Amino acid sequence: MLQFANPLFLLAGAVAAGIPFLLHLIARRPSERRPLPTLRFLRADPRATIRLNRPTDRLLLLLRMLLLLLLGAGFARPSWLPEGEGTAEIVLLDRSRGMAGAWSPAVSAARRLLLNPEGPSRSALVVFDTTATLVPAERVTGEFFDSLLSAGPGAAPADYAAALRALPPAARALAAVDSARATLLSSLRWEGWSPGLAGVRRAAWPGALRLADLPPARIETPVSVDSADTSPRRAMVVADAGGGRYVRAALEAIGWNVQIQPPGRATTDPSDAYVVLSPMQRQAALRLLQRADSGATVVISADAAPSFGMTPGPAATESASAARSGGALVFAGGPTVPGAVDRIAVSADTGRLLAAWEDGRAATVAIPRGEGCLVRVGTSLEGGTLPLSAAFPAAIERLLSGCAPEASTPEANDTPLPAGARQVLRGAGRPEIISLATVADTNREMPLHRWIFVAALGVALLETGLAFRRRRAS
Amino acid sequence: MSGFLPPGLLERLGGLQLAARGLARGAAGGTHRSPHRGAGDEFARHRGYEPGDDPRRIDWKLFGRTDRLYVREYRETSSLRAVLVVDASASMGFAEPGGPSKLRYASHAAAGLAHLMLAAGDAVGLIAFGEVVRVAAPPRTRRGQFGELLRQLERLEAGGAGDAAAALERAGELLRRPGRVVLLGDLLEQDGGEALLAAAGRLRARGDETIVLRVLTPAERGEAGAGLFFDPERPGSVVPAHPAADPGFRARVDAYYAGIAKGLQRRGAEYAPLSVAQPVEQALIGWIRGRRS
């Protein structure tokens, strides 16, 4: 069965092939007047002018039409998909730290997909975390899966780009088969995503990637027994009436003990962290600054910034509709929290950048003060749909970590891959089973579309030579 | 000039003689039969002896047989004066792709005929007609006449409507006494050839040997594809046509020339069709040999 990776190019080639035909019809040769001394004996025949207007030089016309048809066929990327010869299975098994709760179902799924009566040459197994390893076909046995299961996942993070890059070599390893299907067994987390992954995905595998439905897992965070304080940390949210509920809920979700106080009341209870959502009196702000000097972290949202003598930065310069739809706070190393409104670029001159807007401008800056930290946020923390994001708690905790040394926050790595990223990874709209001839660098015989391009080159040379000869003859 | 004639034309024509069909009343010493009898190489007849006859011409053997005196009479030969009339009208400029024009072909044929006639001692002149009737060279036998004729033929250019009848009349005037007129052209006359036939008849009535050689290309008889055509002598009108697909075209052309041929024959003139597709020397040799038989 012939399949086309880009069938629209076939239509484009057919339409384009009609253009030379039309041009040959339209570009009539100027009717050449020829002398004939015995004209008086000739009967006029108006049909003679019609014959003159027919497409001239049919061979040249055919060559031009054929060239355009071949180009369209070549760009359509045809390939032969043999029927009834079986389809090989390529499995990408995620062995990263995020597979702790999904390891057993993943290994079982891989065993089901790969151990089949037709023999190891019709399957390939790639095990990956930050690097991908192609398991030799002869080693993929029941015993191998047993040992894999007992060994458990690794401690390294996932890198989906590494897994995708391993697909073409895995396809090369398949013998006596012309088509294949690829399956990714992973709990699919943000941790494995990297910039440029979409391009790697497109280049590595022209077909769709099956994504297994495995339970997301939390990464086991090694807890140091030497860490001192195990009592819940205390935070105070300073907000007008009705405000602060989202921040409090987010903090409580991650183990903080939270109080909400209106801006006018004196801040009497010492806390480890303060989140100021509303403007407050100057005196109260000064007292919070003293708390920061003593070691607290004070998070100042955009609405409260003037209370602390901080000038508001430039507002977002994109269109009003873009501003209304909300932007994303992108924390270095994750998470990315969408839904922020009234985005302001804060000055990063005196602090450490914690998060940026999507356009790269500083959104959150941590400014050391005394033994504590001031964290300036360039948006209203409870504005837009920011507090509704699943990553909001993680974002709040990043803000409260403030001026602490940058450390990976395992909880952020546990963020599931968003739906859009899953779509990219899956390759929506592509066939699951593809001809291996379409996979890059499979070292098989030259793909069909390249032969078509060679034929097109030959036709182009013929057409050029013929047109040159015609021009010389005229 | 050496490049004007096809190579080998004159050599291949070499031994031919274009003898006059009738009696030539030219100067003595040519190769044509003279109407005069007397001294000569060819025995003509016996005549009864008359007082004053040269006794050396008495046939004594016949006297012995008949007891009567007879004298031998011999035929005298004569040269003749000839004029080549070449059609240089616009239609004679027509040529098929890769081939010579009709004018060039006619000029080559005229040169070949001039060579033959000059070699036989005849005086040969040249008249060309196109825009006007022009005497290119009066009939002469002197050395250098052939070169002069070649120079004039090479300079001919096609143009104008052409009037063959007027050219024939001029040729007759040039000859003064009966001689030979050879017309080379396509005979495509506006009046259907009536004036031409009348002029030829007048020449014959004077006693001139009149020869008409028609020159035509295969395309003019129907071997041409579709196109827009015009008459070179009347270029204003353009006609879309397909000669090869016109079933009656060749028949109409042939009928026209058949009429011309018949008219010429009725007037005692000689007619021969020549095709540009055939080499000149082959055409002339075929014609000359054919007229002997």
Side-chain angles (χ1 to χ4, degrees):
Chain A
M1 180 175 75
L2 194 63
Q3 71 170 2
F4 295 91
N6 307 307
L8 279 180
F9 276 106
L10 270 182
L11 179 63
V15 169
I19 295 174
F21 184 77
L22 284 174
L23 289 176
H24 272 242
L25 281 178
I26 293 168
R28 296 172 179 171
R29 280 183 312 180
S31 301
E32 197 180 332
R33 296 168 74 246
R34 295 149 57 184
L36 186 66
T38 49
L39 183 67
R40 71 188 75 175
F41 305 109
L42 202 56
R43 297 265 151 82
D45 183 3
R47 291 173 301 172
T49 52
I50 296 170
R51 289 192 196 95
L52 285 175
N53 289 336
R54 281 184 185 157
T56 59
D57 211 333
R58 290 181 177 86
L59 180 59
L60 208 58
L61 171 63
L62 282 174
L63 286 175
R64 287 168 178 162
M65 292 175 70
L66 181 60
L67 173 63
L68 290 167
L69 281 172
L70 285 174
L71 285 175
F75 282 118
R77 294 282 297 266
S79 57
W80 291 106
L81 184 61
E83 295 185 33
E85 292 191 20
T87 301
E89 196 74 50
I90 302 176
V91 171
L92 305 174
L93 178 61
D94 185 353
R95 200 183 178 175
S96 69
R97 60 188 179 187
M99 290 292 287
W103 183 241
S104 178
V107 172
S108 300
R111 185 197 297 259
R112 275 196 311 276
L113 287 169
L114 297 178
L115 291 186
N116 60 72
E118 294 181 11
S121 66
R122 303 181 75 83
S123 62
L125 174 63
V126 174
V127 181
F128 74 94
D129 43 37
T130 53
T131 58
T133 305
L134 175 63
V135 179
E138 59 274 13
R139 283 191 51 202
V140 180
T141 60
E143 291 76 22
F144 173 78
F145 282 112
D146 291 337
S147 66
L148 206 60
L149 187 63
S150 59
D159 185 355
Y160 298 133
L164 292 170
R165 287 194 197 96
L167 275 172
R172 271 203 300 276
L174 295 169
V177 64
D178 292 307
S179 61
R181 179 174 61 186
T183 305
L184 174 62
L185 300 174
S186 170
S187 53
L188 297 175
R189 301 161 321 285
W190 251 128
E191 176 184 67
W193 189 267
S194 52
L197 186 71
V200 174
R201 168 70 183 86
R202 274 195 302 271
W205 193 250
L209 206 61
R210 294 200 306 170
L211 304 180
D213 192 10
L214 297 174
R218 289 181 68 84
I219 298 168
E220 297 288 336
T221 308
V223 177
S224 167
V225 295
D226 293 331
S227 62
D229 187 359
T230 57
S231 60
R233 292 164 291 178
R234 287 174 300 173
M236 179 176 292
V237 180
V238 179
D240 287 329
R245 289 175 297 149
Y246 294 109
V247 174
R248 181 174 69 181
L251 285 169
E252 287 175 347
I254 55 179
W256 285 73
N257 198 341
V258 186
Q259 271 188 323
I260 297 180
Q261 275 202 340
R265 283 183 62 179
T267 52
T268 54
D269 297 327
S271 298
D272 301 305
Y274 301 84
V275 181
V276 185
L277 301 180
S278 306
M280 57 194 311
Q281 290 183 352
R282 183 71 179 149
Q283 287 298 323
L286 283 174
R287 278 196 288 278
L288 285 184
L289 290 176
Q290 289 167 2
R291 302 275 188 197
D293 291 335
S294 304
T297 298
V298 179
V299 178
I300 305 166
S301 77
D303 296 327
S307 304
F308 291 83
M310 296 173 175
T311 53
T317 55
E318 61 267 46
S319 66
S321 61
R324 279 195 299 274
S325 65
L329 265 174
V330 182
F331 284 86
T336 296
V337 190
V341 294
D342 300 326
R343 288 160 287 161
I344 292 169
V346 301
S347 170
D349 294 340
T350 56
R352 181 165 64 88
L353 181 67
L354 283 184
W357 296 115
E358 288 162 306
D359 60 1
R361 294 175 302 149
T364 304
V365 173
I367 306 164
R369 185 181 170 98
E371 296 183 19
C373 186
L374 293 180
V375 178
R376 185 172 174 192
V377 183
T379 187
S380 170
L381 277 173
E382 291 194 334
T385 58
L386 197 70
L388 304 179
S389 166
F392 187 61
I396 294 295
E397 185 160 29
R398 287 295 300 278
L399 293 174
L400 294 182
S401 67
C403 303
E406 203 168 304
S408 69
T409 50
E411 286 79 0
N413 293 334
D414 201 31
T415 307
L417 206 60
R422 285 173 176 253
Q423 288 283 80
V424 170
L425 211 52
R426 183 180 296 115
R430 301 184 185 196
E432 278 192 359
I433 299 174
I434 59 163
S435 168
L436 289 176
T438 62
V439 179
D441 300 329
T442 54
N443 283 334
R444 290 175 184 266
E445 61 184 38
M446 194 160 79
L448 182 58
H449 70 276
R450 290 188 189 171
W451 283 114
I452 294 175
F453 282 132
V454 168
L457 181 63
V459 170
L461 288 173
L462 262 178
E463 190 271 345
T464 303
L466 193 60
F468 180 69
R469 279 183 61 187
R470 294 281 189 267
R471 206 168 299 124
R472 281 190 68 179
S474 65
Chain B
M1 194 188 308
S2 62
F4 172 65
L5 293 179
L9 168 64
L10 302 181
E11 290 79 7
R12 290 191 197 108
L13 291 174
L16 287 176
Q17 283 194 352
L18 189 60
R21 280 250 167 105
L23 301 173
R25 290 185 175 81
T31 59
H32 308 284
R33 290 179 299 136
S34 169
H36 305 292
R37 293 190 182 84
D41 294 331
E42 189 179 347
F43 172 77
R45 64 171 185 166
H46 285 109
R47 175 174 60 78
Y49 175 83
E50 290 173 1
D53 286 336
D54 187 348
R56 290 174 293 181
R57 286 163 53 192
I58 294 174
D59 191 341
W60 294 109
K61 284 184 184 170
L62 190 58
F63 174 71
R65 289 201 297 270
T66 63
D67 276 341
R68 291 186 68 181
L69 289 172
Y70 291 94
V71 295
R72 290 192 199 87
E73 273 197 339
Y74 293 88
R75 180 158 292 134
E76 289 189 2
T77 57
S78 171
S79 65
L80 57 72
R81 287 166 61 83
V83 175
L84 299 167
V85 181
V86 176
D87 182 354
S89 62
S91 61
M92 290 294 288
F94 178 76
E96 291 192 22
S101 66
K102 289 190 291 186
L103 176 59
R104 178 59 62 99
Y105 189 89
S107 300
H108 291 166
L113 293 174
H115 168 74
L116 291 176
M117 289 191 282
L118 287 169
D122 298 334
V124 180
L126 175 66
I127 286 176
F129 67 98
E131 296 269 3
V132 294
V133 177
R134 179 174 70 91
V135 177
R140 289 198 180 99
T141 59
R142 66 179 184 189
R143 281 182 65 156
Q145 179 68 357
F146 183 67
E148 178 61 24
L149 290 172
L150 281 187
R151 270 190 293 277
Q152 294 298 326
L153 286 169
E154 192 174 12
R155 283 189 207 140
L156 290 180
E157 287 183 8
D163 185 349
L168 290 179
E169 297 288 348
R170 188 71 184 95
E173 292 165 9
L174 206 60
L175 287 174
R176 292 200 292 272
R177 55 172 185 268
R180 171 186 280 161
V181 175
V182 181
L183 170 63
L184 300 105
D186 56 17
L187 315 183
L188 290 170
E189 302 294 310
Q190 299 304 322
D191 63 351
E194 290 300 325
L196 164 66
L197 293 175
R202 285 192 286 278
L203 286 175
R204 285 297 302 141
R206 268 168 36 109
D208 292 313
E209 182 185 14
T210 307
I211 300 171
V212 175
L213 302 179
R214 182 218 70 186
V215 178
L216 213 65
T217 66
E220 292 170 289
R221 292 186 66 232
E223 295 177 16
L228 292 176
F229 297 96
F230 66 95
D231 186 339
E233 291 180 10
R234 287 189 294 181
S237 168
V238 175
V239 175
H242 191 176
D246 184 346
F249 175 61
R250 177 173 290 205
R252 289 189 287 275
V253 172
D254 291 346
Y256 172 78
Y257 286 111
I260 297 274
K262 193 172 173 184
L264 287 170
Q265 281 162 0
R266 270 212 299 268
R267 289 161 178 81
E270 192 177 343
Y271 170 84
L274 303 183
S275 172
V276 174
Q278 190 181 23
V280 172
E281 64 274 13
Q282 277 185 21
L284 290 178
I285 291 169
W287 166 60
I288 292 171
R289 285 182 179 159
R291 72 197 292 269
R292 280 182 188 164
S293 55

